[in-house]
Amino acid sequence: MSLTKEQIAQVIARELQDGYYVNLGIGIPTLVANYVPENMEIMLQSENGLLGMGEFPTEENIDADLINAGKQTVTVLDGGSFFSSAESFAMIRGGHVDLTVLGAFEIDQSGNIASYMIPGKLVKGMGGAMDLVAGADNIIVAMTHANKHGVSKILKECTLPLTGVNCVKKVVTDLAVMELIDGKFHLLERAPGVSVEEIQEKTQAELVISGEVSEIKI
Amino acid sequence: MSGLNKVVNSYDEALAGISNDMTLMVGGFGLCGIPEGLIQKVADTEVKGLTCISNNAGVDGFGLGKLLEKRQIKTMIGSYVGENKLFEQLFLSGEMEVILTPQGTLAEKIRAAGAGIPAFYTATGFGTEVAKGKETKEYNGKNYILEEAFPKADFALVKAWKADRYGNLIFKKTAANFNPMIATAGKITVVEVEEIVEPGELDPNYIHTPGIYVDRVIVGKFEKRIEQRTVKQ
């Protein structure tokens, strides 16, 4: 069975470390905040100008002046701070954010990522994603492995306009956890009940499979 | 408005001098921290051919979405189209020129404009369409592209929380976003605030934007529409 969005988030949450400053993109990445291990202190950075993002507010505490980068109403934790967009991207570009998690339309074995537009069809805009991928050393991509027709989104070479080059290190999909080393994806783990063959079939990029590939434990 | 007193009492005064084909910078992230009344005033005029520099273009029917509806914007420079259908449609059809700019680069191009820095190198966008036609340079093994500051905007439209009559400003929570930089980058900077207080009431230790950058201040009324109303389950 392929992983649900929540389970993808749960798998990514294993990468969190005590004391990390983390930026979570819109969509599946946002869900990672729900799986921060207990006894671990991390701070979430939201690029619209918030460090120390808390959970969603109660109905009484909703504040239109307090949102995250997904424009959702949120809260701020004690010890949090507010700042301008310029300051926010100084943190990001300056390499102060320890982990960035973001979504993608496509990634490829050169570490390139495409996530902001499909020419002629869909324009989302890159928002802060280009700055995030350029500034972070530690990037995890959360995405589905293939489109709804079963066509791979893990490619030899991206076909869509790029968000960043040579920046992807690790990807967690609904089918697998893979790491990119020297221009090749290495299959680290597979979703429960998903065969190595299926993953191979849905991966257009070069895939390295060594030994027994264990199932992801949820 | 006289001397160092920046307060104006009408939107006509606040936007006096605005005309066709001008460049406006407009603060806000989504609908958070947008100068609602100033945008409405622009929509109420027949001014057109505008270049707007703003992270987003509001939503359909609110914020800068109002100027899109009236086709007052010729060129939109921002980072995120998102779920704004009209924006996407005007972009894809080519009816409006859109220059998508990475959010951090957008913030820095505005900051640089206000700070007198003509250009800067950033790694953001290297190897992408954003880098096309731009000079590149390698520093310490990493590749950068040269991004130019924006020219100063004819009007910078800013939303702040509180001001005094000298134009000293403080912003509220994440409604600051692009507003502090935009305040520095206008030939004429107009600030719409929730409240004007007496000089001295704002602690000088905590002024976000010193009044030197500000030309006009007006008290506005804000609907503060919420885009994604999310609550704890």
Side-chain angles (χ1 to χ4, degrees), chain A residues 105-106 113-119 155 157-163, chain B residues 129:
Chain A
F105 295 148
E106 295 175 347
I113 175 170
S115 65
Y116 77 98
M117 78 178 294
I118 302 174
L155 306 174
E157 200 180 333
C158 287
T159 63
L160 298 171
L162 298 178
T163 306
Chain B
E129 290 193 356

Side-chain angles (χ1 to χ4, degrees), chain B residues 19-40:
Chain B
S19 63
N20 292 345
D21 306 316
M22 280 188 161
T23 297
L24 311 184
M25 288 184 189
V26 184
F29 187 95
L31 300 181
C32 181
I34 59 172
E36 295 180 21
L38 293 172
I39 293 170
Q40 181 62 57

Side-chain angles (χ1 to χ4, degrees), chain A residues 30-77:
Chain A
T30 306
L31 299 172
V32 174
N34 299 334
Y35 302 102
V36 179
E38 275 182 46
N39 306 321
M40 191 183 278
E41 208 170 30
I42 68 158
M43 244 192 211
L44 296 177
Q45 202 261 15
S46 193
E47 65 266 25
N48 58 316
L50 166 60
L51 194 58
M53 179 168 64
E55 54 189 4
F56 292 147
T58 57
E59 195 67 48
E60 308 79 72
N61 288 329
I62 280 186
D63 184 346
D65 290 324
L66 182 43
I67 63 168
N68 63 17
K71 284 111 181 175
Q72 298 171 310
T73 46
V74 292
T75 54
V76 59
L77 300 175

Side-chain angles (χ1 to χ4, degrees), chain A residues 117-140:
Chain A
M117 78 178 294
I118 302 174
K121 280 191 191 157
L122 172 77
V123 194
K124 279 167 40 143
M126 67 288 283
M130 280 196 180
D131 305 276
L132 282 158
V133 299
D137 279 332
N138 196 1
I139 295 169
I140 301 178

